[in-house]
Amino acid sequence: MMLSEQSVQTAAGKKLKSAGALLVAGLLSVSLVGCSKAIKYGDAAEVETTTTGFGSTDLQQIAAKMVDSVLTFPPVVEITAKRRPVMFVDTIKNKTTEHIDTESITDTISTKLLRSGKFRFVDMTKVAAVKQQLDYQSDSGMVNQNAAMKMGQQVGAEYMLYGNLSSIVKRNSSRKDVYYKFTLKLMHLQSGIVEWSDEKEIRKSKEKSLFGL
Amino acid sequence: MNIVKLSALLSGVVLLAGCATSGIEATGKTEGDPEYAKHLVIHNEPLAKAITITDMKSRFKGDLLEVNVVLSNLSSSDKSIQYRFAWYDGDNFEVEQGGRSWIPVVLHGKSSTTMRAVAPNPSVKTYKVNVREL
């Protein structure tokens, strides 16, 4: 008798629990619907401080500083006064612990340099595609040879742009501090001389909020 | 305790809502009137009382315009500000529109900082700098 009473009570308890769970789930779904926000476009130039991780503002600051610096460095001003030297961009070594698309940084820098009218670029990421196209034009028999682009006529790069991105991250119970250092160098390929170099430092910190939110 | 937290949070919200995103705007030209104060437009009076542009210089490096703007904090507290340059050609058309992002700077109390930028290409003749506090 006692056993059956207990089993009835357990069954009732289970029902109550499931009803409670349903109620919580319902409330949650209602609250989620209530909190849903409309999608809107933002300003890509705004300062972004969502986390201390590497973000768009860091990329924009680095690119602006590097482009301004290289374009106003006196020996570079002299080199670019009468001609537009050809350069190629090597990879930026990511020495931070984060996954950062460093090609995106160099893309922004090379685009700004190209648009300044001071430099020209060769794109090493497209060598295979260019070769394939030139092979097609010269060997396929499909292209009028008078109008075909000839092999062996490309202009070699005179300068190489390369660099590093490193970071130091420190944290304690209430504060996280991130320091980024981006170094960029411009090397003359024939002589091996580094003609220009500059650094951009960025410090970001995050304190735990007053109410622990 | 909860009431204290709630009232503090609410006052924070009110303070945030009160923050103005407008600021100070200054226009500089490569030639003409060097009195930069005449080209200063203040959209935010409280900010203009705490922060002021104390110098604006420009020069050509090669054929690119280089600009140096000195911003001073008149108050004794640190100010987190943002600035952005915009560039215009001889016909007053914006050059490389959207090419410049807002740059955040911490301006310490009673100190100055230099905002330096180089025009994106040789067609630039006029520049504008906007300063705001967020």
Side-chain angles (χ1 to χ4, degrees):
Chain A
M1 187 65 185
M2 285 287 280
L3 268 172
S4 64
E5 260 179 21
Q6 264 182 354
S7 61
V8 168
Q9 274 177 359
T10 326
K14 272 183 184 170
K15 269 186 184 173
L16 265 173
K17 266 186 189 173
S18 60
L22 267 173
L23 189 67
V24 168
L27 278 172
L28 263 176
S29 63
V30 167
S31 64
L32 281 174
V33 168
C35 287
S36 67
K37 286 187 179 153
I39 293 165
K40 59 176 184 178
Y41 283 98
D43 181 1
E46 284 289 347
V47 173
E48 172 267 319
T49 52
T50 315
T51 66
T52 52
F54 192 85
S56 63
T57 303
D58 305 317
L59 188 152
Q60 288 158 347
Q61 279 193 73
I62 286 171
K65 163 83 190 284
M66 292 300 142
V67 171
D68 288 1
S69 174
V70 73
L71 291 178
T72 52
F73 189 59
V76 175
V77 171
E78 203 175 303
I79 292 164
T80 57
K82 291 204 169 78
R83 60 195 186 91
R84 297 168 65 203
V86 178
M87 49 162 106
F88 92 94
V89 184
D90 190 34
T91 51
I92 301 290
K93 202 180 278 180
N94 178 11
K95 290 155 82 174
T96 70
T97 52
E98 286 175 65
H99 169 74
I100 296 169
D101 181 7
T102 55
E103 199 180 340
S104 179
I105 308 173
T106 52
D107 277 351
T108 306
I109 293 172
S110 58
T111 303
K112 283 177 187 283
L113 286 176
L114 191 60
R115 293 190 62 80
S116 73
K118 299 292 172 189
F119 288 99
R120 292 174 295 168
F121 285 83
V122 286
D123 192 345
M124 297 311 289
T125 63
K126 287 291 159 204
V127 168
V130 170
K131 171 113 183 19
Q132 193 184 2
Q133 178 58 215
L134 290 181
D135 282 344
Y136 166 77
Q137 290 195 15
S138 61
D139 302 337
S140 67
M142 302 282 281
V143 179
N144 176 358
Q145 288 305 295
N146 293 327
M149 296 292 112
K150 303 283 183 292
M151 283 275 205
Q153 302 293 311
Q154 289 195 353
V155 177
E158 198 179 343
Y159 293 94
M160 176 171 77
L161 210 52
Y162 64 103
N164 290 311
L165 176 65
S166 59
S167 71
I168 299 169
V169 181
K170 290 204 164 183
R171 74 182 87 205
N172 61 22
S173 56
S174 62
R175 187 181 159 91
K176 184 183 180 190
D177 184 279
V178 185
Y179 166 85
Y180 290 106
K181 190 175 77 171
F182 183 87
T183 311
L184 196 65
K185 294 176 182 182
L186 182 70
M187 181 193 275
H188 186 252
L189 284 170
Q190 193 160 297
S191 64
I193 291 170
V194 177
E195 291 277 3
W196 164 88
S197 179
D198 206 349
E199 287 181 350
K200 172 69 184 171
E201 296 170 296
I202 294 171
R203 161 152 275 128
K204 295 164 96 173
S205 59
K206 186 183 181 183
E207 305 246 5
K208 267 199 177 165
S209 62
L210 190 62
F211 299 106
L213 294 170
Chain B
M1 183 61 188
N2 279 337
I3 292 166
V4 173
K5 268 188 185 179
L6 189 67
S7 59
L9 272 172
L10 280 174
S11 61
V13 168
V14 170
L15 276 174
L16 281 173
C19 284
T21 52
S22 56
I24 305 164
E25 185 179 288
T27 309
K29 286 182 179 170
T30 49
E31 65 251 356
D33 196 353
E35 283 275 328
Y36 57 86
K38 286 183 186 170
H39 309 291
L40 211 62
V41 183
I42 292 161
H43 302 295
N44 183 344
E45 285 290 345
L47 180 66
K49 278 178 187 160
I51 287 169
T52 183
I53 291 173
T54 48
D55 196 14
M56 276 173 89
K57 280 182 195 148
S58 65
R59 64 178 176 186
F60 279 98
K61 269 283 181 81
D63 51 5
L64 292 176
L65 182 70
E66 187 182 23
V67 178
N68 220 36
V69 179
V70 179
L71 198 66
S72 299
N73 184 358
L74 305 174
S75 72
S76 52
S77 58
D78 289 1
K79 293 273 177 196
S80 289
I81 59 127
Q82 297 176 5
Y83 69 89
R84 177 164 72 170
F85 281 90
W87 309 97
Y88 301 87
D89 65 12
D91 300 321
N92 225 16
F93 275 53
E94 190 169 353
V95 177
E96 298 287 329
Q97 193 181 13
R100 283 276 169 175
S101 56
W102 288 95
I103 306 280
V105 180
V106 176
L107 199 53
H108 296 296
K110 302 281 182 194
S111 73
S112 297
T113 191
T114 302
M115 302 180 290
R116 181 173 289 179
V118 178
N121 65 47
S123 68
V124 171
K125 296 284 178 277
T126 315
Y127 61 92
K128 195 180 275 182
V129 59
N130 285 78
V131 180
R132 67 180 186 182
E133 186 184 27
L134 275 186

